[in-house]
Amino acid sequence: MKLIQTVKELRSELDGLRKAGKTIGLVPTMGALHAGHASLVKRAVAENDVVVVSDFVNPTQFNDKNDLLKYPRTLEADCALLEACGAAFVFAPSVEEMYPEPDTRQFSYAPLDTVMEGKYRPGHFNGVCQVVSKLFLIVEPTRAYFGEKDFQQLAVIREMVRRYPFPIEIVGCPIVREVDGLALSSRNTRLSAEQREQALQISQTLFASVEYSKTHTVAETRLYVESRIARSEGLRLEYFEIVDGNTLQTVNGWDETEYIVGCITVFCGEVRLIDNIKYRG
Ligand code: PAF
């Protein structure tokens, strides 16, 4: 496995492989890798001749400077995990390398990117699209892999690929959870032991709400989740929405569409955690 820090070097490594007809899988990450990332990389390795993993904390997608500063950075450990997963290249550029000048491009996919995360983190998806589109232009992958935990991000990226258009297959991969149900996230490392225990209520509430939804309306199910989180010590709900899994617009009845997902964001102390669950489809 090779660690590469410049666009020029990565392109020259990949050009030859592409000319030789090799398929290239890309797994974009911000590092601080865990078993969830490992599952994306392993799938990419199984489905492509060569796999590139980007490891770059993208400043343009953080609307909160404190969150950016506190984002864990663990390149050495990341490389060990990626080597074990079979990645061929780790691309870990500096901010100057990715953004030699400020990126002024605007990506707007309303209403997909204006609800939920888009509402609470203005500019976030613009930054995600800036960096992901740059990675697509640099790597020119055959396929790119994203986790379904960032459900809205996956929908926005699919839309960007459709509209750009990029000749890339986007592969969504299932959420990986701890045995007790907590969705894996790089941010989990910032939880104290007590907060880790409290955070468990997020997935437990979502799981219980699936059962509840079978005999209750959408409004009742929303209320069930909101009030259970409100009663949970140490947690503060930012939003919980029950949406059409394709359009991300709020649904009011279970029969409105075939694919329905609940998306939640909760603060545990100052750590912002997201999760989602499928109700229908
Ligand atoms: O999901 C993430 O880790 C990031 O948003 C991504 C896709 C790597 C872009 O920086």
Side-chain angles (χ1 to χ4, degrees), residues 28-30 37 54 56 58 61 71 124 128 131-132 135 146 150 153 157:
T29 82
M30 296 208 295
H37 296 109
S54 62
F56 176 67
N58 172 38
Q61 70 187 75
Y71 204 85
H124 169 68
V128 168
V131 76
V132 172
L135 290 168
F146 297 88
D150 294 297
Q153 168 173 282
I157 288 169

